[in-house]
Amino acid sequence: QVQLVESGGGLVQPGGSLRLSCTASGSIFSINIMAWYRQAPGKQRELVASISSGGRTDYVDSVKGRFTISRDNAKNTVYLQMNSLKPEDTAVYLCNVRSIGVNAWGQGAQVTVSS
């Protein structure tokens, strides 16, 4: 099995920044897609950003221009740089890694944006 460990969540004021990281370990051989999802209270889980093995990225419209997803394949790590944070970004952020025979999730990182 594959284990994903997330870090970097916390409480910030509107306009602030946070950087999330997620590192995969275990029996994974190669990683295809790495992504960040989020789930806010009372809302369905939402795909925030994804990055392919070739480096192609995609973002939900609400975070375009503010969030940047990146990956370090040598370290099996994906990052989410979050700038200009808004209260509506408040959610549990979940790392997801997909490859052949693998669909793994991180434990979740709480991001709270509040004044």
Side-chain angles (χ1 to χ4, degrees), residues 36-64:
W36 290 96
Y37 290 74
R38 66 186 180 188
Q39 188 164 15
K43 295 184 178 180
Q44 188 59 268
R45 184 173 295 176
E46 174 185 45
L47 176 61
V48 178
S50 64
I51 183 167
S52 72
S53 59
R56 185 170 67 179
T57 59
D58 194 21
Y59 301 89
V60 67
D61 286 344
S62 60
V63 309
K64 287 182 177 178

Side-chain angles (χ1 to χ4, degrees), residues 20 34-40 44-51 57-69 79-83 85 88-96 98 105 109 111:
L20 304 179
M34 306 186 82
W36 290 96
Y37 290 74
R38 66 186 180 188
Q39 188 164 15
Q44 188 59 268
R45 184 173 295 176
E46 174 185 45
L47 176 61
V48 178
S50 64
I51 183 167
T57 59
D58 194 21
Y59 301 89
V60 67
D61 286 344
S62 60
V63 309
K64 287 182 177 178
R66 300 188 297 119
F67 290 12
T68 302
I69 188 171
Y79 306 92
L80 186 66
Q81 179 67 47
M82 303 182 291
N83 299 326
L85 283 161
E88 51 263 43
D89 296 318
T90 296
V92 174
Y93 284 71
L94 296 151
C95 177
N96 175 241
R98 283 169 278 166
W105 294 87
V111 173

Side-chain angles (χ1 to χ4, degrees), residues 19 22-25 31 34 71-79:
R19 184 176 185 249
C22 172
T23 299
S25 63
I31 298 175
M34 306 186 82
R71 64 190 289 171
D72 185 335
N73 290 329
K75 297 180 179 179
N76 288 332
T77 298
V78 61
Y79 306 92

